[in-house]
């Protein structure tokens, strides 16, 4: 029974990490687009802009939590973040599905270094 509980927790942690990696890649793409932009289009390229552009009571702390990979975010939060950056859930899924175990392990290592 304990092993099953550990496996469930581990698989959930992988989902949380893959979600954070995906969100970070999307934000990084927006930052790259913003750098190439002439400034005529306001590209959502920061946690503050995501929260402001979400058309809800999404806070910067909630956004930060989703990007950190430390806590579970609701699906509604993920959808709000993705859409506020100008993406669709199809865009999210395409990035998410391409992530490997190696990507997850690399993210974990980076988070351990920061702790």
């Amino acid at each position: 029974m304990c092993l099953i509980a550990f496996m469930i927790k581990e698989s959930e942690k992988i989902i949380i990490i893959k979600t954070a990696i995906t969100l970070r890649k999307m934000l990084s793409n927006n930052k790259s687009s913003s750098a190439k932009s002439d400034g005529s289009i306001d590209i959502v390229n920061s946690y503050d802009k995501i929260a402001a552009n979400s058309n809800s009571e999404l806070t910067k702390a909630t956004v930060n939590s989703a990007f950190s990979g430390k806590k579970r975010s609701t699906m509604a939060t993920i959808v709000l973040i993705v859409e506020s950056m100008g993406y669709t859930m199809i865009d999210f899924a395409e990035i998410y599905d391409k992530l490997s175990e190696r990507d997850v392990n690399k993210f974990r290592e980076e988070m351990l270094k920061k702790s």
Side-chain angles (χ1 to χ4, degrees), residues 45-63:
N45 59 6
S46 70
Y47 295 170
D48 285 325
K49 287 183 179 181
I50 291 169
N53 200 43
S54 69
N55 297 322
S56 73
E57 293 185 18
L58 198 61
T59 65
K60 182 180 174 186
T62 302
V63 173

Side-chain angles (χ1 to χ4, degrees), residues 6-17:
F6 171 77
M7 289 173 52
I8 291 169
K9 287 182 180 181
E10 180 60 19
S11 63
E12 185 176 329
K13 187 62 179 167
I14 291 169
I15 292 166
I16 293 167
I17 290 171

Side-chain angles (χ1 to χ4, degrees), residues 31-48:
K31 286 181 179 181
S32 294
S33 296
S34 182
K36 296 175 187 173
S37 171
D38 62 2
S40 62
I41 301 171
D42 189 26
I43 297 173
V44 178
N45 59 6
S46 70
Y47 295 170
D48 285 325

Side-chain angles (χ1 to χ4, degrees), residues 24-36:
R24 288 171 178 228
K25 286 182 182 246
M26 295 172 111
L27 185 62
S28 178
N29 290 343
N30 277 7
K31 286 181 179 181
S32 294
S33 296
S34 182
K36 296 175 187 173

Side-chain angles (χ1 to χ4, degrees), residues 53-92:
N53 200 43
S54 69
N55 297 322
S56 73
E57 293 185 18
L58 198 61
T59 65
K60 182 180 174 186
T62 302
V63 173
N64 186 42
S65 178
F67 278 80
S68 74
K70 294 180 182 175
K71 291 174 56 179
R72 182 183 345 164
S73 297
T74 67
M75 190 64 193
T77 297
I78 301 304
V79 172
L80 284 168
I81 291 170
V82 168
E83 289 180 351
S84 72
M85 287 192 287
Y87 292 99
T88 65
M89 291 307 291
I90 292 171
D91 299 323
F92 177 90

Side-chain angles (χ1 to χ4, degrees), residues 93-110:
E94 287 173 352
I95 296 169
Y96 184 96
D97 284 342
K98 290 179 185 173
L99 295 175
S100 66
E101 186 177 333
R102 183 172 179 258
D103 296 319
V104 171
N105 291 335
K106 182 179 175 185
F107 184 89
R108 281 185 164 155
E109 288 172 15
E110 290 172 6

